[in-house]
């Protein structure tokens, strides 16, 4: 395990300042990534380990963040299961969403060797990198949203939700299958040297809490247990879960990533005290002035750290591609240079 402020804080030690990294820091906003994207498709960039390793390491070099995150996508798992995916200008699109299939059982022979480039990427990152690396995958609920609906174009994935209610047994089958695959994939990433694992559940808030708790949370707990049995810290991002934060106990995760909708102090009241928090700066704050960014940090975040140091700075969702990069740099430097954290 790579020793650093980030891994120390994840393991419960006190730091002199909070560590910082950003969701979607690899790619999108980085000028060098944009240049590479003029010559390569996104899929190509993920599948070429040298390129994927370059992009993984870029944010540490360019932004100065305390951890890198593997450059890949949560939709690689359904692709490894044989689902055809195209990357359009409006985002990802599965050509045959599962909600239109009469029988889903015959569809899957997951071939995880299709993800070998991920492990090769991690090997290169480990050799060349000088910061801890976060591995990840999508949680079963969020991955299923895309597999069933095909795209995120329709707000709240209505076909996916209809499927959950109309075909509960097949939903169970899909959740169990995805859980097993997530575990196998996470353990492989661990074998290839990741220092922490984040499970992205961006669409955790699209179903009622009762359904989430009964059907989807047990899968998260299983994945968490498998990852943590290898002594790798587990971060969970249940975006939009709201009052469901009270379900975030040490059985679920070491750290929970808080979305921008919920204030950190409210989240702190709901989340079990032994679970750390990550987040939750509004990605849109980065479109304001440096003065506003600094005053928001001083008003909302420094006092939080003074009371709760089990905290990793991040955004409340991903960095947007058109974010002024100078503001992202300013925020990162401000966090690292600020001397009044205590
Ligand atoms: O250059 C390009 O056009 C590709 C843009 C891009 C990139 C760089 C996509 C398309 N995905 C990624 C990488 C990616 N995606 C990472 C790697 C690390 C990083 O960028 O920091 C990670 C962790 C993800 C995770 C991901 N992909 C999530 C969960 C987190 C979140 O942001 O909500 C989801 C929902 C996806 C699906 C996805 N991938 C890409 C798009 C445009 C989308 C869908 C967005 C949507 O549903 O609206």
């Amino acid at each position: 395990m790579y020793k650093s402020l980030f891994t120390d804080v994840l393991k419960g030690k006190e730091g002199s300042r909070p560590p910082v990294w950003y969701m979607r820091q690899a790619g999108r906003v980085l000028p060098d990534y944009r240049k590479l994207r003029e010559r390569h498709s996104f899929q190509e960039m993920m599948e070429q380990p040298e390129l994927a390793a370059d992009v993984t390491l870029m944010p540490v070099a360019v932004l100065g963040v305390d951890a890198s995150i593997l450059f890949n996508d949560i939709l690689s798992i359904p692709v490894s299961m044989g689902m055809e995916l195209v990357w359009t200008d409006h985002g990802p699109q599965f050509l045959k969403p599962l909600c239109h299939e009469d029988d889903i059982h015959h569809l899957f022979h997951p071939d995880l060797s299709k993800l070998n480039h991920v492990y090769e990427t991690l090997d290169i990152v480990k050799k060349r990198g000088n910061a801890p690396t976060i591995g990840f995958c999508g949680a079963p609920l969020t991955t299923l949203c895309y597999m069933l609906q095909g795209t995120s174009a329709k707000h709240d994935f209505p076909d996916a939700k209809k499927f959950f209610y109309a075909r509960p047994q097949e939903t169970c089958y899909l959740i169990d299958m995805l859980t097993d695959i997530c575990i196998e994939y996470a353990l492989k990433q661990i074998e290839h040297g990741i220092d922490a694992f984040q499970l992205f559940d961006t669409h955790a808030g699209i179903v009622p809490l009762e359904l989430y708790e009964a059907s989807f949370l047990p899968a998260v707990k299983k994945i968490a247990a498998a990852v943590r049995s290898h002594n790798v810290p587990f971060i969970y991002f249940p975006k939009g879960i709201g009052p469901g934060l009270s379900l975030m106990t040490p059985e679920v995760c070491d750290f929970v990533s808080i979305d921008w909708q919920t204030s950190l102090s409210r989240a702190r009241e709901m989340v079990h005290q032994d679970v750390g928090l990550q987040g939750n700066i509004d990605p849109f704050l980065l479109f304001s002035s440096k003065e506003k960014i600094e005053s928001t940090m001083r008003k909302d975040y420094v006092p939080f750290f003074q009371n709760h140091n089990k905290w990793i700075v991040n955004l409340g969702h991903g960095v947007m591609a058109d974010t002024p990069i100078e503001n992202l740099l300013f925020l990162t430097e401000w966090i690292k240079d600020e001397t009044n954290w205590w």
Side-chain angles (χ1 to χ4, degrees), residues 38-78:
E38 286 168 15
R39 285 185 281 133
H40 305 276
S41 71
F42 176 47
Q43 192 67 33
E44 248 168 58
M45 292 195 55
M46 285 192 286
E47 286 175 1
Q48 293 186 24
E50 283 290 340
L51 278 180
D54 283 347
V55 185
T56 302
L57 293 170
M58 260 178 209
V60 176
V62 176
L63 300 173
V65 288
D66 294 307
S68 59
I69 180 162
L70 167 71
F71 178 72
N72 202 272
D73 197 80
I74 63 162
L75 302 181
S76 296
I77 284 187

Side-chain angles (χ1 to χ4, degrees), residues 21-29 33 37 40-43 45-46 55 59 69-75 87-92 136-138 142 146 151-153 157 198 200-203 237 239 317-319:
W21 72 280
Y22 305 112
M23 288 189 265
R24 297 196 199 154
Q25 67 184 18
R28 294 177 171 99
V29 71
Y33 171 77
R37 276 286 276 116
H40 305 276
S41 71
F42 176 47
Q43 192 67 33
M45 292 195 55
M46 285 192 286
V55 185
I69 180 162
L70 167 71
F71 178 72
N72 202 272
D73 197 80
I74 63 162
L75 302 181
W87 292 97
T88 72
D89 290 345
H90 312 288
F136 74 91
C137 73
T142 291
Y146 291 91
T151 76
S152 60
F157 301 91
Q198 175 153 321
F200 284 90
D201 217 350
T202 308
H203 305 300
F237 178 46
K239 187 171 182 300
H317 197 183
V319 185

Side-chain angles (χ1 to χ4, degrees), residues 271-292:
V271 172
H272 188 287
Q273 59 177 6
D274 293 338
V275 174
L277 302 189
Q278 178 177 270
N280 76 337
I281 300 166
D282 186 353
F284 286 91
L285 178 69
L286 293 162
F287 291 83
S288 70
S289 63
K290 294 191 173 60
E291 292 71 31
K292 176 70 183 167

Side-chain angles (χ1 to χ4, degrees), residues 20-212:
V20 54
W21 72 280
Y22 305 112
M23 288 189 265
R24 297 196 199 154
Q25 67 184 18
R28 294 177 171 99
V29 71
L30 300 174
D32 284 347
Y33 171 77
R34 297 228 187 151
K35 269 190 218 140
L36 282 169
R37 276 286 276 116
E38 286 168 15
R39 285 185 281 133
H40 305 276
S41 71
F42 176 47
Q43 192 67 33
E44 248 168 58
M45 292 195 55
M46 285 192 286
E47 286 175 1
Q48 293 186 24
E50 283 290 340
L51 278 180
D54 283 347
V55 185
T56 302
L57 293 170
M58 260 178 209
V60 176
V62 176
L63 300 173
V65 288
D66 294 307
S68 59
I69 180 162
L70 167 71
F71 178 72
N72 202 272
D73 197 80
I74 63 162
L75 302 181
S76 296
I77 284 187
V79 170
S80 79
M81 296 161 91
M83 291 190 71
E84 267 182 276
L85 178 71
V86 287
W87 292 97
T88 72
D89 290 345
H90 312 288
Q93 163 111 48
F94 284 108
L95 297 182
K96 287 191 192 153
L98 293 190
C99 66
H100 303 307
E101 300 284 343
D102 291 333
D103 177 15
I104 46 136
H105 293 91
H106 70 282
L107 285 171
F108 301 109
H109 306 282
D111 175 5
L112 284 179
S113 70
K114 284 195 179 160
L115 296 170
N116 281 345
H117 56 271
V118 169
Y119 317 129
E120 284 172 42
T121 302
L122 288 172
D123 292 343
I124 301 170
V125 166
K126 204 166 162 64
K127 259 190 236 140
R128 296 214 322 247
N130 58 0
T133 304
I134 304 163
F136 74 91
C137 73
L141 168 55
T142 291
T143 310
L144 269 180
C145 284
Y146 291 91
M147 290 168 70
L148 291 164
Q149 186 82 37
T151 76
S152 60
K154 280 197 192 153
H155 196 55
D156 277 357
F157 301 91
D159 295 334
K161 286 182 72 171
K162 284 178 202 162
F163 188 98
F164 297 153
Y165 283 99
R167 297 165 70 174
Q169 279 173 343
E170 285 157 295
T171 300
C172 259
Y173 167 81
L174 288 168
I175 295 170
D176 287 348
M177 189 183 46
L178 276 172
T179 306
D180 290 346
I181 298 173
C182 287
I183 290 173
E184 197 179 331
Y185 185 44
L187 296 188
K188 275 287 222 182
Q189 293 184 35
I190 291 171
E191 242 176 69
H192 289 265
I194 57 166
D195 301 277
F197 188 85
Q198 175 153 321
L199 190 71
F200 284 90
D201 217 350
T202 308
H203 305 300
I206 71 152
V207 290
L209 204 48
E210 291 71 19
L211 178 59
Y212 167 82

